[in-house]
Amino acid sequence: MLGGAGILLGVAAVPAQAAEVSYKTECIPPAASGLGPVEGTTKVEITAPATAKVGDEIQVVWKFVQAASKNPDLIVLPKDSVKPTGTLKASGAQTADIAMEGPQKNPEIPKGGDMVLSDMTGKVKLTTAGDVTLTPDAYTITAYSTDTKCTPQEAVPAAATIKVTAAEGGSTTSGGSTSGGTTTSGGTATGGDTGGTTSGGSTTSGGTTSGGSTSGGSTSGGNDGQTDFVGKTVTTSFACASPGPAKIDSSATINAKKNGGSYDLTVKTAKGVMNSPAPLPAGALKPSMVITVGGDDSGSLKVEGPANKDALNTGDPVSLGDMTGTYKPGADGKATLSPGDLTIVVTLSAGSNPITIPCKATKTAVSLELDVQKQSGGVSGATTSGSGSSSGSSSSSSSSSSSGGGLAETGANDHGGLRALGFVAGTAILLGGAVFVFLPRRRVR
């Protein structure tokens, strides 16, 4: 049945019931965000068959009317970047934890906006006659391979009750039925037992969200003529020297296109990782990044991105342009590519000395794995630093010693005294009477 109605598998569909419940919830954002717990109210509508028989496998739908937390004021969540999973508890005649899972499908969610989550579905095989009640429990919101875990903070009312009658020809199909239900709920995450042969795609999507920091969806298959390779989006964190923000939490995806024996790389990062500290002209911010090569190859290479195309006003979200570079393998076998140190070069006005902000990668993971063949002059063993210590301007290097919050005097040639002021919450540059403050992102509720 369409529109989120519950269905019976293998038998004729029966009338469905839908009921909404709400409950107080605490959501714990990922540690990398630096945010504390969020208290809110979850509103859920559960749809399930009103009646069924022992032996039936039913599908249940969990619809989010309201998630307990909003998107923190950190980054814009792009379209189709958020995936919900959760647990629906069955009790009464049969006890089971039903694994629920929704597709990675959502509109673009602005900073501070309501979380728009897809409907989750799950399946359970009914094993015992009687009333089976369904109650929503904990759920997880996954974005950029990081999890926000939400748990009830009060007793949750039952959302639906299924009247289960004995199957014709005998009803002694219990025994280890409860554990059977639990096993079925585990299968739910992969699409269910009966749909196993047709739902391989959902197994892949499940692996994407729960995958750790290893390969992801990045096997190359170079021998079959494949030329385009899409990396896994991984969570990244950076600690920046003055005058950059103390910390940047973002994500990165490394994609590759085979070009002869080499690979043209494109690195994409999350949008809106920080706010513009002041009005900045077009071309003021230019990023680059070190890509760390591992696996059977080793070394690093540099990718660079374009400067900001449009001028920025104070408070505008800053998004780094896609960074590109070339990877030439230095060994045979499987090579891994991971985001490394980030560098942002700031040019405040035409003709002024650039200010280089080095940001050390404090959290990263493998985004792409490739089957490679050694090329002459390849990267193996070579290290290309993409985040040297304030190399863009010899004068700005002294300002990177921001520990202690002291006042560092620098000697920018065209601006006289360039003074860097260190703050606990961020760093400011006082330049020709204008103050530029790069602050870490704040939570706004």
Side-chain angles (χ1 to χ4, degrees), residues 139-176:
Y139 59 93
T140 299
I141 303 170
T142 301
Y144 292 121
S145 301
T146 64
D147 294 336
T148 296
K149 297 183 179 295
C150 300
T151 55
Q153 298 300 297
E154 63 178 344
V156 183
T161 300
I162 305 171
K163 293 189 176 296
V164 183
T165 57
E168 296 178 4
S171 58
T172 57
T173 55
S174 53

Side-chain angles (χ1 to χ4, degrees), residues 18 20 46 56-57 69-70 92 112 120 129 148 154 174 205 230 244 257 290 294 296 337 364 370 373 385 393 418-419:
E20 180 181 313
I46 301 298
D56 289 342
E57 185 179 55
S69 65
K70 294 189 175 184
M120 299 192 296
T148 296
E154 63 178 344
S174 53
S205 68
V230 178
K257 184 177 182 66
V290 172
D296 294 324
L337 302 177
T364 185
L370 297 168
Q373 293 182 331
S385 176
S393 169
L418 173 63
R419 311 179 71 198

Side-chain angles (χ1 to χ4, degrees), residues 21 80 98 115 123 131 135 155 162 182 200 212 221 270 335 337 385 411 429:
V21 296
D80 298 340
I98 306 171
M115 293 296 292
K123 298 171 188 171
D131 287 351
T135 305
I162 305 171
T182 305
L337 302 177
S385 176
I429 303 174

Side-chain angles (χ1 to χ4, degrees), residues 109-408:
I109 303 174
K111 286 177 269 189
D114 292 334
M115 293 296 292
V116 181
L117 304 176
S118 63
D119 294 351
M120 299 192 296
T121 59
K123 298 171 188 171
V124 62
K125 188 170 184 177
L126 301 174
T127 59
T128 309
D131 287 351
V132 177
T133 60
L134 303 176
T135 305
D137 195 49
Y139 59 93
T140 299
I141 303 170
T142 301
Y144 292 121
S145 301
T146 64
D147 294 336
T148 296
K149 297 183 179 295
C150 300
T151 55
Q153 298 300 297
E154 63 178 344
V156 183
T161 300
I162 305 171
K163 293 189 176 296
V164 183
T165 57
E168 296 178 4
S171 58
T172 57
T173 55
S174 53
S177 57
T178 300
S179 63
T182 305
T183 303
T184 303
S185 71
T188 303
T190 61
D193 297 335
T194 61
T197 58
T198 59
S199 61
S202 47
T203 301
T204 302
S205 68
T208 301
T209 56
S210 63
S213 59
T214 52
S215 61
S218 54
T219 53
S220 76
N223 294 331
D224 63 2
Q226 183 180 352
T227 58
D228 294 295
F229 309 100
V230 178
K232 174 185 175 182
T233 299
V234 296
T235 302
T236 55
S237 292
F238 302 93
C240 300
S242 171
K247 183 181 182 183
I248 295 177
D249 291 317
S250 183
S251 65
T253 307
I254 302 174
N255 299 324
K257 184 177 182 66
K258 193 169 185 181
N259 185 358
S262 300
Y263 296 84
D264 296 330
L265 304 183
T266 299
V267 181
K268 297 178 178 291
T269 57
K271 298 178 181 179
V273 295
M274 60 183 176
N275 286 341
S276 177
L280 293 175
L285 303 174
K286 184 177 176 65
S288 63
M289 180 183 283
V290 172
I291 302 300
T292 302
V293 181
D296 294 324
D297 203 354
S298 64
S300 65
L301 59 104
K302 185 178 180 180
V303 292
E304 295 181 297
N308 55 301
K309 182 176 63 174
D310 300 318
L312 297 169
N313 295 316
T314 302
D316 283 352
V318 176
S319 300
L320 304 180
D322 292 351
M323 293 171 277
T324 57
T326 300
Y327 165 49
K328 181 180 287 188
D332 294 327
K334 290 188 179 294
T336 61
L337 302 177
S338 306
D341 294 346
L342 173 71
T343 299
I344 302 173
V345 177
V346 182
T347 305
L348 297 173
S349 61
S352 65
N353 283 346
I355 302 167
T356 300
I357 302 172
C359 299
K360 182 175 179 60
T362 57
K363 181 176 183 180
T364 185
V366 172
S367 175
L368 185 63
E369 182 181 88
L370 297 168
D371 290 328
V372 299
Q373 293 182 331
K374 181 177 180 179
Q375 303 295 308
S376 176
V379 76
S380 183
T383 301
T384 302
S385 176
S387 58
S389 56
S390 300
S391 59
S393 169
S394 60
S395 63
S396 65
S397 62
S398 61
S399 70
S400 63
S401 58
S402 59
S403 60
L407 190 63

